[in-house]
Amino acid sequence: MNAAALTFPFAAAPQPAGLTQVAPGVHWLRMPLPFRLDHINLWLIEEEGGWVIVDTGLANDETRALWEELLAGPMAGKPVRRVVVTHFHPDHMGLAGWLCARFGVEMWATQGEYLHGRMLGIDRTEDFVANQVEFYRRAGCDQATLDLAAERRNIYATRVTPPPPRFNRLRAGQVIEIGGRAWTVFVGTGHSPEHACLHCPELGVLIAGDQVLPKISPNVSVWPMEPEADPLAQFLASLEQFHALPEDTLVLPSHGLPFRGLHARLTDLAHHHDERLEATLAACGEGATGFELLKALFRRDLDAHQLFFAIGEGLAHVNHLVGQGRARRDVDANGIWLFRRT
């Protein structure tokens, strides 16, 4: 990564239940996460008589308690007017249902993110679990991993309050008013179905969610619901639109520190995946399962949370290679996928 090309105007994150103003009317707060990636950045935008929340944090008691402190303290008792969600992942949509119900307000999201979150937030069916286990079996996972997939069931539903039964749709290119300023919706793909980013030209600010992070690439994975997908192609293509924004845009990411140097970071992200594709191709050799690719590409110890993201990311890279014609996918007598260089 060309770290020298990025600048970080804020040296430290806000304290728990504290706010840092990053632009006029735009405030940064941070919530903890119980993972190795141990935090998420959320954003508050002032509106007349209230607040607009952008992303909500994970649905757990710790996050709820911090929201209570914020509502009673730095938010000065002013009501929430809207809840905007960048994408369906539980650290972003987790408490949207709770906050919307509490304040009687609407959730704003793209259709793809709303429907995905709504579906996963209420799905307790056995065929969901069976499909998860079958997907990881076909990826060549060992029995311990298959048992873990069955035990986790639909873990998403345990990390969110059920998303609201209705929403206001965000669309690519749409201009919405927040806090008396115009914000343009950019839609990214690959990390999630229709990830909303918000750009305010007047402030020179991009709320980037997970689409553009300063030091890590967002997870780009193949998931059991769409095993032959090529999310990496979608992710790389969707990065291109952000080159139209000024290089000195203040990027507000969901993880890490706000930064400037957008174009350099976009280039770094593309190069990172070029390198991962070459490593994946080398690992395919004369034939490798998805689980064998995982072990070749991720040599560090992985906890249960990281394990399934890593399997999905390995499959995303090899599916992209198949789409490019640089690798092929065969199926053995047991239905296990084998990936080979062409």
Side-chain angles (χ1 to χ4, degrees):
M1 183 183 75
N2 185 11
L6 305 187
T7 60
F8 297 89
F10 302 93
Q15 293 299 309
L19 299 180
T20 296
Q21 182 166 286
V22 295
V26 181
H27 302 265
W28 171 23
L29 61 144
R30 178 170 280 194
M31 294 292 185
L33 295 175
F35 315 121
R36 289 193 184 177
L37 185 59
D38 61 5
H39 70 274
I40 178 172
N41 300 323
L42 312 177
W43 314 98
L44 289 173
I45 304 175
E46 297 178 48
E47 280 203 320
E48 185 176 354
W51 299 93
V52 174
I53 294 173
V54 182
D55 288 338
T56 69
L58 204 66
N60 60 24
D61 291 342
E62 184 177 14
T63 308
R64 284 188 184 88
L66 287 170
W67 272 118
E68 296 289 2
E69 286 188 54
L70 284 159
L71 291 163
M75 295 173 72
K78 295 178 183 177
V80 174
R81 299 296 189 194
R82 281 180 283 178
V83 175
V84 178
V85 174
T86 60
H87 61 297
F88 81 92
H89 293 165
D91 48 337
H92 298 260
M93 193 180 281
L95 284 176
W98 177 71
L99 286 162
C100 288
R102 175 168 178 158
F103 290 96
V105 299
E106 300 288 337
M107 185 179 86
W108 293 61
T110 63
Q111 185 179 60
E113 301 299 333
Y114 171 74
L115 293 177
H116 219 83
R118 179 74 179 169
M119 172 188 65
L120 287 174
I122 61 178
D123 192 344
R124 299 293 201 282
T125 57
E126 291 302 320
D127 62 348
F128 177 92
V129 180
N131 185 56
Q132 298 276 310
V133 174
E134 176 62 8
F135 173 80
Y136 293 111
R137 186 192 73 81
R138 300 194 77 188
C141 293
D142 59 20
Q143 190 60 48
T145 303
L146 299 182
D147 291 344
L148 182 57
E151 178 185 329
R152 284 160 61 93
R153 300 185 64 80
N154 178 3
I155 198 166
Y156 179 91
T158 70
R159 292 172 173 165
V160 301
T161 54
R166 63 182 182 272
F167 77 113
N168 281 325
R169 190 192 301 190
L170 297 175
R171 298 173 175 85
Q174 180 182 6
V175 178
I176 60 174
E177 183 180 310
I178 308 177
R181 294 183 172 90
W183 294 76
T184 301
V185 179
F186 285 72
V187 171
T189 52
H191 175 65
S192 64
E194 285 185 290
H195 184 305
C197 303
L198 299 173
H199 176 245
C200 180
E202 180 181 342
L203 295 176
V205 165
L206 174 68
I207 297 178
D210 283 350
Q211 197 69 21
V212 185
L213 301 174
K215 293 190 176 180
I216 60 173
S217 173
N219 178 258
V220 178
S221 278
V222 171
W223 296 106
M225 284 178 286
E226 194 180 2
E228 296 187 30
D230 186 357
L232 184 56
Q234 297 171 18
F235 177 72
L236 293 173
S238 71
L239 287 182
E240 291 301 314
Q241 65 188 310
F242 297 102
H243 281 284
L245 300 182
E247 171 67 358
D248 64 351
T249 297
L250 178 61
V251 181
L252 305 183
S254 291
H255 307 284
L257 299 175
F259 69 95
R260 287 190 171 91
L262 175 61
H263 296 174
R265 185 62 188 135
L266 294 171
T267 300
D268 279 345
L269 284 167
H271 287 169
H272 164 77
H273 286 289
D274 287 341
E275 293 169 358
R276 297 299 281 172
L277 286 166
E278 293 305 319
T280 303
L281 190 62
C284 285
E286 295 305 311
T289 67
F291 197 58
E292 288 167 341
L293 291 176
L294 160 79
K295 291 185 285 186
L297 296 171
F298 297 89
R299 299 187 181 277
R300 66 183 186 277
D301 291 335
L302 301 171
D303 61 27
H305 177 71
Q306 295 170 314
L307 174 63
F308 294 100
F309 282 102
I311 295 169
E313 188 154 320
L315 289 170
H317 284 80
V318 76
N319 278 9
H320 189 64
L321 290 167
V322 170
Q324 292 179 321
R326 302 173 69 195
R328 76 173 192 266
R329 188 182 76 172
D330 298 322
V331 182
D332 74 8
N334 296 312
I336 307 300
W337 299 316
L338 289 173
F339 299 95
R340 296 181 169 89
R341 300 179 62 150
T342 56

